[in-house]
Amino acid sequence: MLHSVDPRLKSIRDKVEAGQRLSLDDGLLLYQDDIPLNDVGQLANLVRERINGNRGYYNINTHLNATNVCVYRCVFCAFRSDLRSPKGYVMDEDAILARGKEAVDNGCTEMHLVGGLHHKRDYDWYKGILKTLHGAYPDLHLKAWTAVEINWFEFLTKQSTEWVLQDLREAGLGSLPGGGAEIFHPEVRDKICEHKADSRNWIEIHRTAHRLGIRSNCTMLYGHIENAFHRIDHLIRLRELQDDTGGFQTFIPLAFHPDNTGLSHIKKPSVLMDLRTMAVSRLMLDNIPHIKAYWIMLGIETAQAALAYGADDIDGTVRHELIYHDAGATTPELLSVERIRHLIQEAGRDPVERDTLYREVIRDDQDFSKWHVGEQVAVGSMA
Ligand code: V47
């Protein structure tokens, strides 16, 4: 049941209650500063509970960034390094395997792998990382390589998207993370990362992945030089692809962290902006089942609040995250399972451990590192 909302939201409220799609103009109105945030949040919460009930998802996961050396120079990135910089590193096979062991010993169901595009490493090096990890730890889901990396692999191998994705799947690829989307509109993309995969490349790579049965996530980097129109345009492009394929599992709005980047003069987005973006995303993306409040980037308290502003997932326990911590994130490096469950409960939601594909994870009572998956958790009506 909705409390009263600002009269200017009447038509949006009617659409949301009737499960109808919001337009570009609706999205722009929801982003107006003088539209009360709580009203937007209330509408988003209605949709969130309709689709995901009172569940608050988390997973037990770890990150692996095998190198930070990158040919690209995205102005928002604090993680990348030049080849000869003292900051540059490349992990060897032993170090990668040790990370796999640490993950499995700690009960992780997922490893999230992304990294720099190292111009002295060939495609087989990247593929070999998956092969090594999958060979040793076949139950660990490898959520690996954004569309930007897949596009780079196409360039290295001179092969098609389909060939690269099939080849990586044979090596152990489980799904694609949502990174590299940034802001699709060329007015922004050409200024922050003009050299890497453009919006068409990004979308077509995810379309191909979905056609091959590989699930993926999607993101939007906000709070830098873009405006509300660019954000709504971005969300609508994702919604259109999802209409065609249904292959996205979750959307993650990523708040820009300015420290040590080429945009360090920009202030990091406010909590109000974070919550509004979460809510607007839930309302616009009526066909994507999950919205993730990535606590590493939002901070724990905002991620908790976001569970009432459209989000139903707060990502995982996370180990070894570098991209946000290099850009000034002050969140801890990892959260214990007890802590993450408590945070979700404190926010009034029922914690559910999921695997990467949103199946419930059932743990062995005696040995926490042993687990199996249950059914895919049913999502409610998306309309
Ligand atoms: O594409 C880079 C962003 C992304 C900064 O799929 C920055 O489950 C803010 O996509 N400030 C990579 N953002 C991370 C990512 C992600 C994270 C969590 C879960 C999933 C998932 C995907 O991070 C990049 C870029 O958009 N990023 N630098 C920065 N300074």
Side-chain angles (χ1 to χ4, degrees), residues 99-378:
R99 284 291 186 82
K101 179 171 178 348
E102 179 194 48
V104 169
D105 288 349
N106 283 286
C108 290
T109 60
E110 170 191 287
M111 184 181 271
H112 179 164
L113 297 99
V114 284
L117 304 175
H118 193 307
H119 53 295
K120 304 263 178 198
R121 299 284 155 162
D122 60 11
Y123 169 69
D124 283 340
W125 181 74
Y126 286 91
K127 176 177 155 182
I129 296 172
L130 297 185
K131 258 184 138 162
T132 301
L133 284 166
H134 187 63
Y137 305 106
D139 294 334
L140 188 63
H141 180 106
L142 302 177
K143 182 176 79 178
W145 317 135
T146 72
V148 172
E149 283 126 312
I150 303 297
N151 182 249
W152 176 250
F153 300 155
E154 289 170 32
F155 167 75
L156 292 179
T157 58
K158 309 282 174 269
Q159 297 283 353
S160 65
T161 308
E162 177 163 344
W163 185 93
V164 171
L165 289 173
Q166 297 272 34
D167 196 48
L168 290 178
R169 180 155 61 178
E170 273 168 39
L173 177 81
S175 64
L176 297 185
E182 324 313 358
I183 287 282
F184 290 141
H185 200 290
E187 273 169 20
V188 175
R189 199 170 186 88
D190 290 353
K191 292 198 181 90
I192 61 171
C193 55
E194 34 104 20
H195 33 262
K196 76 180 184 191
D198 62 16
S199 57
R200 197 187 57 80
N201 296 141
W202 193 99
I203 284 169
E204 290 313 312
I205 287 167
H206 281 261
R207 187 191 300 283
T208 306
H210 298 171
R211 178 165 55 76
L212 297 174
I214 299 171
R215 308 305 298 271
S216 73
N217 297 339
C218 51
T219 58
M220 171 175 77
L221 178 66
Y222 68 91
H224 43 93
I225 62 167
E226 89 294 352
N227 60 34
F229 166 74
H230 300 125
R231 279 176 236 130
I232 300 295
D233 170 76
H234 187 95
L235 297 176
I236 290 177
R237 291 185 203 217
L238 292 173
R239 187 170 78 181
E240 283 171 356
L241 176 58
Q242 182 74 342
D243 274 343
D244 291 348
T245 67
F248 287 131
Q249 312 188 97
T250 183
F251 170 75
I252 311 120
L254 296 169
F256 176 54
H257 276 248
D259 292 1
N260 309 315
T261 74
L263 297 173
S264 56
H265 56 284
I266 294 179
K267 250 180 83 195
K268 139 183 200 301
S270 67
V271 172
L272 301 181
M273 172 67 165
D274 292 336
L275 293 177
R276 191 178 290 265
T277 299
M278 198 64 66
V280 173
S281 304
R282 179 62 287 169
L283 289 166
M284 293 302 295
L285 298 174
D286 52 17
N287 53 3
I288 298 189
H290 303 286
I291 304 285
K292 193 188 278 188
Y294 186 37
W295 65 265
I296 286 266
M297 155 214 103
L298 290 172
I300 291 167
E301 292 80 4
T302 307
Q304 279 184 298
L307 291 174
Y309 280 76
D312 57 280
D313 187 311
I314 65 171
D315 200 73
T317 44
V318 183
R319 266 164 211 273
H320 304 298
E321 198 287 330
L322 291 178
I323 295 176
Y324 280 89
H325 287 98
D326 280 3
T330 52
T331 39
E333 207 242 333
L334 83 128
L335 289 180
S336 67
V337 176
E338 294 67 36
R339 180 98 196 272
I340 210 163
R341 291 183 69 89
H342 177 71
L343 292 173
I344 294 170
Q345 271 160 346
E346 209 176 40
R349 303 299 187 186
D350 305 326
V352 177
E353 185 187 343
R354 59 157 180 93
D355 73 349
T356 312
L357 304 175
Y358 285 85
R359 293 170 301 191
E360 187 165 1
V361 172
I362 299 148
R363 298 263 159 197
D364 184 303
D365 286 345
Q366 312 300 320
D367 181 352
F368 180 79
S369 69
K370 294 207 174 78
W371 53 273
H372 67 277
V373 287
E375 290 297 297
Q376 184 112 32
V377 186

